[in-house]
Amino acid sequence: MNIPTPHIGVSEQGVIAKTVLMPGDPLRAKFIADTFLENPVQFNHVRGMLGFTGTYNGKKISVMGSGMGMPSIGIYSFELFEFYGVENIIRIGSCGAYTDELELYDVILATDAYSESAYAKVQSGSEDDVMLPSPELNEKLEGFAKELEIELHKCRIHSNDVFYNGQEGYFEMVRDKHGCKAVEMESFALFANAKTTGKKAACLLTVSDSLVTHKVTTAEERQNAFTEMMKIALEMAE
Ligand code: HPA
């Protein structure tokens, strides 16, 4: 396929950095660019999925929204990896806690992602229901978190296809049977794409709500609290 791709309006190589941070919300990508990047330049506005490249401490990095859910991050991450020479994608998202061991605003580094999703099966024929992040990226992110003195909770996450689940006892079953401590909706597909394209991916999450205690954060609180996770990920600039 030629560039621009159907979903990313960039016609030249080198405009998008080798490392891309992906929040779900494109406005959060804009917030990161406006708040943390030096000389940010917007490279995408197709479907409002804003993407920016700039520097952080003088080193190049891009940030772009992924949208919600595996079909959405599946499209954007595949195009970045396969057609724009992107090597590393770090998802920086929100998640729901499946256990009272996790508090609101805790920062999680995903050790692996379990899913019932057919994404990997349809994409590459893989029967695996667990997809893995890059150990190398996870090690780097752990190191940066340590330097920044931000506590990281390492655990398996659930990449869910259904936000509004009507089945009683479902999340408890996923937690107890598959060992997932938190839920989001994207990482399984991101990790599957990294695997099939030979690239690297990782995922940092901030707890935005709890399915156990039913505590929630406001949009405004999230904007500020999520900066810890962003700072860890921004250290990936190179
Ligand atoms: N479910 C799925 N994804 C999420 C949640 C949730 O409860 N909270 C934040 N992302």
Side-chain angles (χ1 to χ4, degrees), residues 23 25-37 40 50 52 63 92 219-228 230-231 234:
D25 180 354
L27 291 180
R28 194 161 294 145
K30 181 167 166 45
F31 171 84
I32 294 168
D34 290 343
T35 311
F36 296 108
L37 297 191
L50 306 177
F52 304 83
V63 52
I92 45 175
E220 200 184 346
E221 285 169 337
R222 285 201 292 272
Q223 192 79 298
N224 300 320
F226 285 20
T227 56
E228 300 234 300
M230 292 167 189
K231 284 180 189 161
L234 282 161

Side-chain angles (χ1 to χ4, degrees), residues 1-225:
M1 195 192 298
N2 291 325
I3 56 171
T5 59
H7 309 96
I8 303 176
V10 173
S11 329
E12 288 164 51
Q13 297 297 347
V15 171
I16 304 175
K18 289 226 171 323
T19 298
V20 180
L21 309 187
M22 297 198 97
D25 180 354
L27 291 180
R28 194 161 294 145
K30 181 167 166 45
F31 171 84
I32 294 168
D34 290 343
T35 311
F36 296 108
L37 297 191
E38 300 127 17
N39 310 312
V41 176
Q42 187 179 318
F43 64 74
N44 194 50
H45 59 85
V46 177
R47 289 178 181 250
M49 199 53 79
L50 306 177
F52 304 83
T53 298
T55 58
Y56 184 70
N57 295 331
K59 293 181 265 181
K60 195 171 172 183
I61 193 154
S62 294
V63 52
M64 180 177 165
S66 69
M68 289 183 284
M70 290 185 258
S72 185
I73 198 167
I75 290 170
Y76 293 111
S77 62
F78 190 86
E79 291 184 7
L80 290 170
F81 280 146
E82 195 70 8
F83 306 114
Y84 289 104
V86 169
E87 295 295 332
N88 310 306
I89 295 180
I90 320 287
R91 164 164 157 72
I92 45 175
S94 64
C95 66
Y98 273 178
T99 152
D100 57 13
E101 291 163 38
L102 291 169
E103 304 279 348
L104 293 188
Y105 306 121
D106 278 354
V107 182
I108 292 175
L109 177 68
T111 55
D112 45 7
Y114 161 79
S115 188
E116 313 86 331
S117 162
Y119 189 91
K121 189 172 178 186
V122 175
Q123 216 268 341
S124 67
S126 168
E127 298 282 347
D128 296 341
D129 60 6
V130 172
M131 287 287 143
L132 301 172
S134 152
E136 189 186 321
L137 292 190
N138 271 21
E139 198 175 307
K140 281 190 182 167
L141 292 167
E142 267 194 77
F144 297 141
K146 209 169 205 175
E147 281 167 27
L148 294 165
E149 297 182 351
I150 298 168
E151 190 186 354
L152 274 189
H153 298 259
K154 293 192 282 175
C155 64
R156 173 176 287 183
I157 58 170
H158 178 205
S159 294
N160 198 354
D161 265 335
V162 181
F163 189 88
Y164 295 107
N165 190 319
Q167 297 189 69
E168 183 108 0
Y170 194 84
F171 95 77
E172 292 90 343
M173 181 278 290
V174 172
R175 176 189 64 199
D176 299 341
K177 191 167 171 203
H178 300 284
C180 303
K181 294 199 173 168
V183 58
E184 50 89 82
M185 307 187 79
E186 292 82 16
S187 294
F188 181 84
L190 173 63
F191 298 168
N193 274 351
K195 188 177 174 190
T196 51
T197 56
K199 304 292 179 98
K200 297 190 182 85
C203 172
L204 288 167
L205 299 168
T206 301
V207 177
S208 63
D209 54 84
S210 171
L211 284 88
V212 185
T213 64
H214 304 291
K215 286 185 197 159
V216 293
T217 52
T218 64
E220 200 184 346
E221 285 169 337
R222 285 201 292 272
Q223 192 79 298
N224 300 320

